[in-house]
Structures are given as structure tokens and as C-alpha cells.
């Protein structure tokens, strides 16, 4: 089986090792991973900021970067949800690309969804002897509908202890450009998120979203708190 791999810009620029973790996970299942080095961004930041013309150009580029009719695996439900739910809207005045939008709706799949629901593989022989808590990213939950899949994978990791935090479904304050435009509100939200995480006694906050983890880890670093963040893929790839 061959799949295409889309690495979101946050992972590409700030967490490249997470991208390699995704490759290791997929290749461990004898999957051939195709990575197009011309890929860039899905266009979500521009869309959310109201720059639809720029987002349209990026969407067309994405379509051209992924021309094959096969799974496109994305280690971010936020990006995957945006592509599946909004490309048709962004490209509504571009009839030549509407068929491609339907192809992407079918093929774009978030990593944990792909592993659990498509490959039917939940145990990657990972070992992570730490107590963790899970953060449900807003877009993952509400745009993509991701809930049980990451937890299923976490619970199959040897040595791990998952402790759910209070209000796990509440936003961490990232919200794309929200953290830049609304700093006081964003800071209050991430403070509450980290307090709830620390109340569980967890050593790590786990999520499928590198963007959320960036925001949360920034607050942790600034406050010099004794807790860390980690992407789900980096846990699953521990022994690969």
C-alpha cells in the first residue's frame, strides 16, 4: 500500500522530528510513504483570518501537490478537518477543482483515525513509562470528530498511565491567530488548561495537534512548570 504524507507547516517548521515519527509509524506497517517536498500549507491560517483569495491559491496548490487518488495521511485533525470541510467553500467559484475537492474529502485522513479505523492497528509496541493526560484540540473534536482514537492508541502503550483532566474539551487558547490577536484571553485559557493538566499529576500533556502543544509548551516554559507536552506520534514511535 502507498500513501501520501502531508506534514502541516507547524510540524515542518517547529517539530520536524514528529514528522519522522509519523513516517516510522506508517513504515512499520509495510506502507510505502510518498512525501512531496513541494508541499507547503493547507491554507487554514489565511482562511481563518479572512484572506480567502490567498487561501484559494494555497488550496489549488495543495490539490496539485497531491494529484493521486489514494490516502493522504495528516498528523493534525485541524488541517485535515479544514481540507475536508472547507475546500469546497473556498473553491466554489473554481468549478475545475470541485471534483478534486471531493477526492480530498475521501482521501484526507488524520493519523490516529487512519491507524485505528482504517488499518485496524492499535498497538505499536511502544513503551512510555509516564503518567499522561490528553488534550482534545478544538478542531480535532469539532471539525474532524476525533475523540476515542487517540485514547485507544495511548491505552495500548506499555507502561503509560492516562489520567483525564477536567474540561478536556475546552480550548487551550491557541485558536490559530487568536493567540496573537487576543493575548490576554488566550493566556488565561492556556493557564486554565495547564492547571487542569497538572491537577492530574501527569508528567506529559498529549495531543494530536502540534499547534496546541506549541501554545501550551510556551506557557509552561514561561512559568517554569514541571510538566511537558508531546505529540501522540512521538509516543507511538518510541521503539520504532
Amino acid at each position: 500500500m502507498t500513501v501520501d504524507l502531508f506534514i502541516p507547516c507547524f510540524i515542518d517548521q517547529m517539530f520536524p522530528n514528529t514528522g519522522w515519527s509519523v513516517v516510522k509509524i506508517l513504515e512499520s506497517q509495510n506502507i510505502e510513504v510518498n512525501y512531496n517536498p513541494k508541499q507547503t500549507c493547507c491554507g487554514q491560517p489565511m482562511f481563518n483570518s479572512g484572506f480567502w483569495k490567498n487561501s484559494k491559491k494555497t488550496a489549488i496548490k495543495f490539490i496539485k501537490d497531491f494529484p493521486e487518488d489514494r490516502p493522504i495521511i495528516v498528523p493534525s485533525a485541524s488541517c485535515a478537518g479544514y481540507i475536508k470541510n472547507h475546500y469546497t467553500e473556498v473553491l466554489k467559484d473554481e468549478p475545475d477543482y470541485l471534483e478534486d475537492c471531493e477526492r480530498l474529502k475521501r482521501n484526507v485522513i488524520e493519523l490516529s483515525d487512519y491507524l485505528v479505523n482504517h488499518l485496524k492497528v492499535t498497538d505499536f509496541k511502544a513503551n512510555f513509562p509516564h503518567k499522561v493526560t490528553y488534550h482534545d484540540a478544538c478542531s480535532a473534536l469539532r471539525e474532524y470528530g476525533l475523540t476515542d482514537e487517540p485514547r485507544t492508541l495511548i491505552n495500548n502503550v506499555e507502561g503509560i498511565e492516562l489520567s483525564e483532566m477536567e474540561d478536556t474539551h475546552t480550548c487551550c487558547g491557541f485558536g490559530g491567530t487568536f493567540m496573537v490577536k487576543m493575548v490576554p484571553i488566550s493566556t488565561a485559557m492556556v493557564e486554565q488548561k495547564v492547571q487542569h493538566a497538572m491537577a492530574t499529576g501527569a508528567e506529559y500533556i498529549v495531543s494530536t495537534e502540534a499547534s496546541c502543544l506549541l501554545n501550551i509548551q510556551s506557557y509552561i516554559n514561561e512559568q517554569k512548570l514541571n510538566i511537558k507536552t508531546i505529540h501522540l506520534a512521538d509516543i507511538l514511535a518510541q521503539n520504532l
Side-chain angles (χ1 to χ4, degrees), residues 133-136 141-142 151 164-172 189 192-193 196-197:
T133 190
Y134 182 74
H135 163 60
D136 288 281
L141 184 67
R142 297 171 179 86
R151 290 172 169 86
E164 297 285 0
M165 73 174 87
E166 181 182 353
D167 293 335
T168 182
H169 296 164
T170 300
C171 180
C172 72
M189 294 172 74
Q192 182 184 64
K193 174 62 65 172
H196 287 161

Side-chain angles (χ1 to χ4, degrees), residues 5 73 92 126 179 189 192 216 227 234:
L5 176 61
I73 309 308
K92 62 184 178 181
M179 68 174 291
M189 294 172 74
Q192 182 184 64
I216 295 170
I227 192 169
D234 293 319

Side-chain angles (χ1 to χ4, degrees), residues 34-54:
N34 180 70
Y35 177 82
N36 183 352
K38 294 181 180 180
Q39 64 178 268
T40 52
C41 176
C42 66
Q44 182 178 193
M46 290 167 279
F47 176 82
N48 290 343
S49 298
F51 297 101
W52 279 33
K53 287 184 179 180
N54 301 84

